């Protein structure tokens, strides 16, 4: 049993199938690499500064850590914690109301953006409007439109989040609508129901769980967005974050970041649980039971 | 064929008593709705929600908003603006590449299918959820303080931000891969590395690439605003224009930004559609 | 009464699905339409409530031409014609009752129908319909939790809740196992007898067609090639309709040895 026996080739003369050409993927890879190299060459970032990550950052992080481990029941730390927590809650409130506004605005719009419930022209126009909304960062929306109208504060932030949410929510919801089983629509049409009645009784019951799950998903995104809108004066914890970095108060920065992280992680977990329950609820199609993240934003 | 007895009754004369009663909504539904209503009211009070400014003192905002309908397009020709846009693009590209590469490793560690052991899987998952919980601008503030240089801090901030998103999405794709090929490679005596390379990667590659393009779209938007806190790109220009109250100029820059993001979005989605 | 006068249907892609059909279906008749797949059975049934518009000839339902109807008149016509589908076409995520009540939408006011505040009378119609198909106790169960036969009964109840004059059924038992198929056909027949609802059923099982059809219409390539009673429709007739000899696939009860 020395050498392993190799099978003799069956038919030596036949040509073996060639692997499919790799030219296309190679070209793509090269082009991408060139683009990235060009970007690195052009960006005039001071790469040597990267060393700071190993020299400066640990010092600052240690300072932040000190702020976190100070006894939170003594002044002034107790006040710092309370303040950060109160502002984080304001961020959550903005995110909630923003999501609610987004949900209310996007719900009717999503029927106009679905090819099986609206005429082609309407669908194309609505989709492009949604794409344009998606292209505007919330913070720009707050700065440029909402603060002039609603003044500084969380209301402007909530409005910015609300309008900003319409883009994604409208798109995701309309895709859910396009994925429905057409059977019930046909049945209701045959039963003499009006167009609106068909939407209400054949489409909405089929898609509502998915759409509500998208709302929750968007809420999770809005929490993060709501945590920074304060930088431009639109309420929430972002306002204090900016000031603290300007004043280099590392201890307070540390505890504020901890507040953001802990609150966000907890709310995320709850929201994800609720989402799964809603999607996998009774009567859901088997495919929906395996909840997968949707690519959004 | 026998005819059931129930049929001789005229339908609407008097409803018989045997009709099923509508069951009350489940406790879960009731509690859920109550919680929803309570949070909504609490949040609305908390942020002093009102739509009154929309019709009452429109004049306050109208003056400014009106200036947005009269953008000063000339500003777009200034070198600072052009460079700001290019810088935003460069930062987004670099951060996408670096972030996605690191994310691929993290994703492998954060899926039960490909993680070497349970503690690594747990820890990676936890680290990723912490990474994800900090918003892009918070990362920006941190790195501006750490490395000072605006462009570099922009790249680093977005990189961290991307790792969280791409690693999470990719690890979920890995969780969902078919077990068949993995078992086949194992049965053929493949190593752990070979298992990842030949059984897992080919299955998730299209999804992973599509997530990379997806964060690229996010990055364009994010890097445009990172400049507001000093992390390079067009945001720097926006910040200056806001502080100088040059709304006509600002309008032109914002519209240009929307157009740029819109075009890149569409291009990236076109690629994504072909990938999956 | 349903009258086809030289009705043709040509689909936008050029397929001629009905080719000069002449038929008169008097009130209260139980008609079974048979034919191979692609013969035009579904098209025939769908022209009756205007879901597929006839492209030639004239089709009268209770004396009114379907082609001339505007949207509102078409909805009125459809409200008087119940329809049952092979795949049931229920909304799975909602209750049986809500599914049946959609048969009442044609006469519900705008607000009532948007919020689901159906009147007591509408609810009673729905309950009565459920009772007729023997699944009253399932009224508040989710449709997805029912078996196939029960789901098709819900669909029949939805049609009944319209209080229709005509009931159309497009292969209503093709997705059901043989005993259930037989039971559902019995339900349809009983409803036809009790309420005098004109019933048109597409089938491709010849034993069911013979057992339940007062009248059998055979179709082939968009044309009516047979029109007679169940007794007249012997194996030779079916072979001529199908254009081939019969196989075990053509009957529900597979065990029954030689066909007929
Ligand atoms: N919506 C449609 N568009 C184009 N052709 C169709 C359509 N529906 C049916 N057809 C064609 O019309 C013919 C008759 O179809 P159908 O009425 O469904 O037959 P059956 O119900 O007897 O199987 C077939 O050739 C079919 O392919
Ligand atoms: Mg058919």
């Amino acid at each position: 049993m020395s050498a392993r026996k190799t099978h003799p080739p069956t038919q030596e003369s036949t040509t073996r199938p060639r692997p499919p050409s790799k030219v296309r993927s190679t070209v793509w890879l090269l082009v991408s690499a060139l683009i990235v190299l060009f970007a690195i060459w052009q960006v005039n970032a001071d790469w040597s500064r990267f060393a700071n990550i190993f020299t400066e950052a640990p010092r600052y992080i240690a300072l932040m850590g000190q702020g976190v481990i100070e006894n939170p029941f003594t002044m002034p730390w107790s006040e710092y914690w309370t303040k950060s927590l109160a502002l984080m809650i304001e961020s959550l409130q903005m995110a909630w109301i923003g999501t609610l506004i987004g949900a209310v605005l996007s719900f009717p719009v999503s029927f106009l953006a679905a090819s099986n419930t609206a005429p082609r022209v309407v669908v194309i126009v609505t989709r492009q409007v949604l794409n344009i909304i998606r292209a505007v960062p919330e913070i720009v929306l707050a700065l440029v439109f909402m603060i002039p109208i609603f003044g500084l504060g969380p209301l402007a932030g909530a409005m910015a989040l609300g309008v900003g949410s319409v883009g994604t929510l409208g798109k995701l919801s309309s895709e859910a609508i396009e994925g429905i089983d057409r059977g019930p629509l046909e049945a209701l049409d045959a039963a003499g129901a009006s167009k609106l009645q068909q939407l209400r009784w054949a489409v909405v019951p089929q898609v509502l769980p998915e759409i509500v799950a998208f709302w929750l998903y968007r809420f999770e995104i809005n929490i993060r967005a709501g945590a920074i809108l304060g930088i431009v004066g639109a309420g929430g914890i972002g306002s204090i974050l900016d000031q603290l970095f300007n004043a280099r108060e590392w201890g307070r920065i540390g505890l504020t970041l901890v507040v953001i992280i802990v609150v966000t992680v907890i709310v995320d977990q709850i929201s994800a649980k609720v989402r799964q329950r809603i999607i996998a609820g009774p009567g859901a199609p088997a495919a929906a039971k395996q909840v997968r993240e949707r690519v959004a934003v | 064929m026998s005819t059931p007895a129930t049929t001789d009754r005229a339908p609407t004369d008097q409803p018989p008593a045997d009709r099923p009663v509508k069951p009350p909504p489940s406790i879960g539904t009731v509690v859920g709705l109550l919680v929803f209503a309570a949070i909504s009211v609490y949040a609305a009070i908390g942020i002093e929600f009102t739509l009154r400014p929309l019709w009452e003192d429109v004049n306050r905002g109208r003056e400014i908003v009106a200036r947005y309908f009269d953008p000063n397009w000339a500003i777009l020709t200034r070198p600072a603006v052009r460079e700001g846009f290019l810088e935003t693009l460069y930062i987004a590209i670099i951060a996408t590449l670096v972030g996605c590469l690191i994310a691929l490793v993290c994703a492998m560690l954060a899926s039960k299918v490909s993680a070497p052991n349970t503690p690594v899987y747990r820890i990676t998952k936890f680290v990723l959820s912490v990474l994800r919980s900090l918003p892009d601008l918070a990362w920006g503030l941190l790195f501006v303080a750490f490395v000072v240089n605006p462009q570099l801090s922009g790249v680093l901030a977005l990189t961290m931000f991307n790792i969280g998103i791409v690693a999470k999405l990719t690890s979920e794709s890995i969780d969902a891969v078919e077990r068949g090929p993995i078992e086949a490679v194992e049965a053929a005596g493949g190593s752990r590395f070979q298992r990842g390379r030949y059984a897992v990667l080919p299955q998730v590659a299209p999804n992973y690439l599509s997530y990379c393009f997806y964060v690229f779209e996010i990055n364009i938007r994010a890097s445009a605003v990172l400049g507001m806190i000093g992390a390079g790109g067009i945001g720097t220009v926006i910040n200056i224009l806001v502080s100088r109250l040059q709304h006509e100029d600002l309008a032109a820059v914002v519209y240009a930004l929307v157009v740029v993001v819109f075009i890149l979005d569409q291009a990236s989605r076109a690629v994504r559609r072909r990938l999956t | 009464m349903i009258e086809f006068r030289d009705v043709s249907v040509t689909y936008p892609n050029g397929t001629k699905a009905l080719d000069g059909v002449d038929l008169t279906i008097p009130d209260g008749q139980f008609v079974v339409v048979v034919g191979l797949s692609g013969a035009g059975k579904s098209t025939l049934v769908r022209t009756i409530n205007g879901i597929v518009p006839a492209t030639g000839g004239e089709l009268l339902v209770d004396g009114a031409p379907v082609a001339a109807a505007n949207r509102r008149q078409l909805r009125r016509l459809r409200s008087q014609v119940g329809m049952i589908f092979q795949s049931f076409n229920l909304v799975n995520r909602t209750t049986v009752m809500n599914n049946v009540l959609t048969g009442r939408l044609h006469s519900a006011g705008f607000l009532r129908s948007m919020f689901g505040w159906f009147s007591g009378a509408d609810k009673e119609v729905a309950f009565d319909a459920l009772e007729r198909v023997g699944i009253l106790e399932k009224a508040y169960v989710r449709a997805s939790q029912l078996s196939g036969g029960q789901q098709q009964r819900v669909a029949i109840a939805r049609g009944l809740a319209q209080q229709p004059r005509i009931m159309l059924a497009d292969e209503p038992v093709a997705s059901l196992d043989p005993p259930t198929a037989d039971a559902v056909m019995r339900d349809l027949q009983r409803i036809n007898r009790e309420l005098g609802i004109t019933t048109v059923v597409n089938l491709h099982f010849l034993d069911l067609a013979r057992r339940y059809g007062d009248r059998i219409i055979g179709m082939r390539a968009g044309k009516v090639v047979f029109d007679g009673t169940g007794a007249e429709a012997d194996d030779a007739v079916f072979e001529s309709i199908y254009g081939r000899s019969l196989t075990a696939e053509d009957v529900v009860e597979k065990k029954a040895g030689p066909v007929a």
Side-chain angles (χ1 to χ4, degrees):
Chain A
M1 291 281 272
S2 55
R4 200 178 279 196
K5 191 179 160 198
T6 51
H7 297 284
T10 43
Q11 277 174 291
E12 307 225 11
S13 57
T14 55
T15 51
R16 296 297 184 232
R18 298 252 221 95
S21 160
K22 288 204 170 148
V23 173
R24 272 172 67 105
S25 50
T26 316
V27 168
W28 276 113
L29 210 64
L30 277 176
V31 169
S32 321
L34 280 178
I35 292 176
V36 173
L37 286 176
F38 182 76
I40 292 175
W41 173 51
Q42 280 286 315
V43 75
N44 71 56
D46 184 358
W47 300 102
S48 64
R49 287 282 190 165
F50 188 72
N52 283 26
I53 291 291
F54 305 105
T55 54
E56 304 289 298
R59 227 182 66 227
Y60 293 141
I61 291 171
L63 287 173
M64 286 194 259
Q66 269 172 29
V68 177
I69 57 173
E70 288 284 350
N71 183 350
F73 299 105
T74 58
M75 287 299 267
W77 299 100
S78 61
E79 200 192 309
Y80 293 162
W81 281 101
T82 325
K83 184 97 198 279
S84 291
L85 206 59
L87 282 169
M88 187 61 201
I89 287 174
E90 188 173 270
S91 280
L92 287 182
Q93 291 171 332
M94 285 159 55
W96 185 272
I97 298 295
T99 310
L100 223 54
I101 294 171
V104 168
L105 294 179
S106 68
F107 189 71
V109 172
S110 57
F111 289 91
L112 299 177
S115 55
N116 54 348
T117 53
R120 241 184 99 73
V121 185
V122 177
V123 171
I124 291 171
V125 172
T126 316
R127 290 241 148 150
Q128 293 312 321
V129 171
L130 292 178
N131 283 335
I132 290 170
I133 296 175
R134 272 167 35 95
V136 191
E138 279 89 358
I139 203 161
V140 171
L141 214 53
L143 195 63
V144 169
F145 290 106
M146 297 311 170
I147 292 178
I149 296 175
F150 293 95
L152 292 170
L155 181 57
M159 287 296 175
L161 292 179
V163 174
S165 304
V166 173
T168 3
L169 286 181
K171 176 163 184 295
L172 287 176
S173 305
S174 68
E175 281 167 2
I177 293 171
E178 286 178 346
I180 62 162
D181 170 16
R182 276 202 66 83
L185 266 181
E186 191 185 13
L188 262 62
D189 194 30
S194 69
K195 262 265 156 340
L196 223 53
Q197 288 174 331
Q198 289 173 32
L199 295 186
R200 166 65 183 83
W201 291 98
V203 182
V204 172
Q206 287 192 62
V207 295
L208 199 58
E210 267 90 1
I211 290 183
V212 173
F214 292 147
W215 295 346
L216 279 168
Y217 175 57
R218 185 65 204 188
F219 173 61
E220 293 162 34
I221 293 175
N222 280 347
I223 294 172
R224 291 156 175 83
I228 51 162
L229 283 178
I231 290 173
V232 296
I237 200 160
S239 52
I240 172 180
L241 209 54
D242 196 29
Q243 291 165 22
L244 292 177
F245 271 99
N246 284 335
R248 305 245 149 187
E249 288 191 46
W250 289 104
R252 281 191 75 183
I253 291 175
L255 70 83
T256 305
L257 290 181
V258 166
V259 166
I260 295 180
I261 292 170
V262 170
V263 171
T264 308
V265 169
I266 292 174
V267 178
D268 261 16
Q269 304 272 326
I270 299 173
S271 170
K273 281 266 148 48
V274 176
R275 258 186 323 154
Q276 308 220 339
R277 266 200 63 163
I278 290 175
I279 298 241
K289 301 257 180 197
Q290 299 166 344
V291 185
R292 292 259 337 267
E293 284 304 318
R294 293 293 292 257
V295 169
V297 177
Chain B
M1 176 179 307
S2 65
T3 320
T6 52
T7 53
D8 294 56
R9 195 178 38 74
T12 43
D13 269 355
Q14 57 190 129
D18 64 341
R19 295 319 192 201
V21 218
K22 189 172 184 171
S26 76
I27 308 243
T29 313
V30 173
V31 171
L33 286 177
L34 283 179
V35 168
F36 169 82
I39 296 179
S40 301
V41 170
Y42 168 73
I45 293 171
I47 66 164
E48 295 174 31
F49 181 78
T50 167
L51 288 175
R52 205 173 283 150
L54 276 182
W55 60 85
E56 245 174 35
D57 33 38
V58 253
N59 288 329
R60 178 163 55 151
R62 181 191 284 166
E63 199 189 321
I64 296 178
V65 172
R67 292 166 74 179
Y68 281 97
F69 289 100
D70 184 23
N72 172 25
W73 298 111
I75 190 167
L76 295 181
T77 58
R78 286 201 208 157
V81 175
R82 214 190 55 229
E83 271 158 32
F85 272 115
L86 284 176
E87 203 168 87
T88 287
L89 188 59
Y90 298 146
I91 291 174
I93 290 173
I94 300 170
T96 306
L97 180 85
V98 181
C100 288
L101 285 180
I102 301 174
L104 186 56
V105 178
C106 295
M108 291 283 206
L109 300 180
S111 164
K112 274 213 173 100
V113 177
S114 50
N117 53 46
T118 314
V120 168
Y121 159 78
R122 289 258 161 77
I123 292 169
T124 317
K125 274 217 113 136
F126 176 75
V127 171
L128 287 179
S129 71
V130 170
L131 283 188
R132 248 191 352 266
S133 65
L134 276 187
D136 42 7
L137 284 189
W139 285 114
L141 288 168
L142 275 174
F143 281 107
V144 167
F146 289 166
V147 301
V148 186
N149 176 268
Q151 292 81 10
L152 181 60
S153 43
V155 169
L156 291 175
L158 286 184
T159 303
M160 298 305 277
F161 181 64
N162 291 350
I163 294 173
I165 300 175
V166 177
K168 171 166 194 263
L169 292 171
T170 311
S171 72
E172 276 164 8
S173 293
I174 296 178
D175 284 338
V177 298
E178 281 178 51
R179 301 300 159 105
I182 298 176
E183 284 170 9
V185 173
E186 272 176 353
S191 69
R192 182 166 286 281
F193 171 79
Q194 286 170 327
R195 193 178 83 177
R197 167 70 185 79
Y198 291 102
V200 176
L201 260 191
Q203 289 193 64
V204 295
N207 283 340
Y208 166 71
L209 280 180
S210 124
Y211 299 147
C212 294
F213 279 94
Y214 163 63
V215 289
F216 174 67
E217 293 160 34
I218 299 183
N219 280 352
I220 294 283
R221 243 162 304 191
S223 73
V225 294
L226 273 173
M228 292 183 174
I229 47 121
I234 190 67
T236 321
V237 177
I238 294 181
N239 221 14
I240 294 171
L241 295 176
V242 168
S243 59
R244 291 196 196 143
L245 299 176
Q246 293 172 331
H247 293 286
E248 289 86 355
D249 299 345
L250 185 56
V253 172
V254 166
Y255 294 149
L257 172 66
V258 170
V259 170
V260 169
V261 175
F262 180 83
I263 291 172
L264 288 174
D265 251 24
Q266 296 305 308
S268 162
R269 276 151 171 251
V271 176
R272 251 164 60 186
R273 258 199 301 277
R274 291 186 49 191
L275 280 172
T276 43
Chain C
M1 187 146 82
I2 307 166
E3 291 165 86
F4 285 79
R5 293 184 189 153
D6 193 26
V7 170
S8 306
V9 169
T10 309
Y11 282 109
N13 66 3
T15 314
K16 190 148 197 170
L18 285 190
D19 189 1
V21 171
D22 277 300
L23 272 181
T24 303
I25 301 173
D27 287 343
Q29 202 167 45
F30 194 102
V31 180
V32 172
V33 184
V34 295
L36 284 178
S37 171
K41 306 183 295 291
S42 300
T43 308
L44 179 82
V45 157
R46 277 156 213 256
T47 49
I48 296 175
N49 58 3
I51 286 192
V52 171
T55 50
E58 194 179 24
L59 173 58
L60 304 172
V61 174
D62 290 333
V66 175
N70 59 26
R71 264 201 76 74
R72 159 165 277 162
Q73 288 164 332
L74 203 57
R75 278 185 56 199
R76 240 181 84 78
L77 162 72
R78 288 177 186 174
S79 73
Q80 294 169 0
V81 182
M83 189 155 189
I84 299 157
F85 305 82
Q86 173 178 347
S87 49
F88 321 143
N89 289 359
L90 300 181
V91 181
N92 287 322
R93 270 180 164 158
T94 189
T95 59
V96 165
M97 190 63 177
N98 275 343
N99 271 290
V100 177
L101 280 169
T102 57
R104 300 301 308 157
L105 286 174
H106 61 81
S107 60
F110 175 76
L111 278 184
R112 272 183 185 282
S113 61
M114 285 301 115
F115 290 96
W117 299 321
F118 289 95
S119 65
D122 280 345
K123 281 185 189 156
E124 181 47 31
V125 172
F127 281 135
D128 182 63
L130 281 171
E131 196 167 33
R132 279 179 194 279
V133 292
I135 48 168
L136 180 59
E137 75 281 2
K138 300 283 185 195
Y140 290 105
V141 173
R142 271 173 195 267
S144 58
Q145 289 172 344
L146 302 186
S147 70
Q150 289 171 325
Q151 291 197 9
Q152 193 58 297
R153 287 192 175 87
V154 175
I156 295 174
R158 173 176 62 194
L160 279 181
Q162 288 174 238
Q163 301 183 310
R165 302 166 51 80
I166 300 169
M167 187 75 100
L168 308 174
D170 191 3
E171 310 244 7
V173 298
S175 325
L176 304 175
D177 59 70
T180 317
D182 207 52
V184 166
M185 286 305 295
R186 260 201 314 275
D187 278 340
L188 281 173
Q189 189 182 53
R190 183 162 42 75
I191 287 158
N192 162 261
R193 300 276 145 84
E194 284 168 18
L195 303 172
I197 299 174
T198 314
T199 307
V200 183
V201 183
N202 286 349
L203 284 178
H204 62 258
F205 297 121
L206 56 88
D207 51 344
L208 285 182
R210 273 196 200 111
R211 198 173 314 152
Y212 293 103
D214 296 342
R215 174 179 174 191
I216 291 178
I217 291 171
M219 293 199 66
R220 195 168 147 192
K223 290 196 167 77
V224 174
V225 293
F226 174 81
D227 188 348
T229 64
E232 289 165 7
D234 56 20
D235 282 2
V237 166
F238 273 101
E239 285 181 348
S240 76
I241 295 172
Y242 288 180
R244 60 165 169 75
S245 50
L246 301 178
T247 68
E249 296 298 313
D250 298 326
V251 290
V252 156
E253 320 283 357
K254 302 267 156 44
K255 59 189 180 294
V259 249

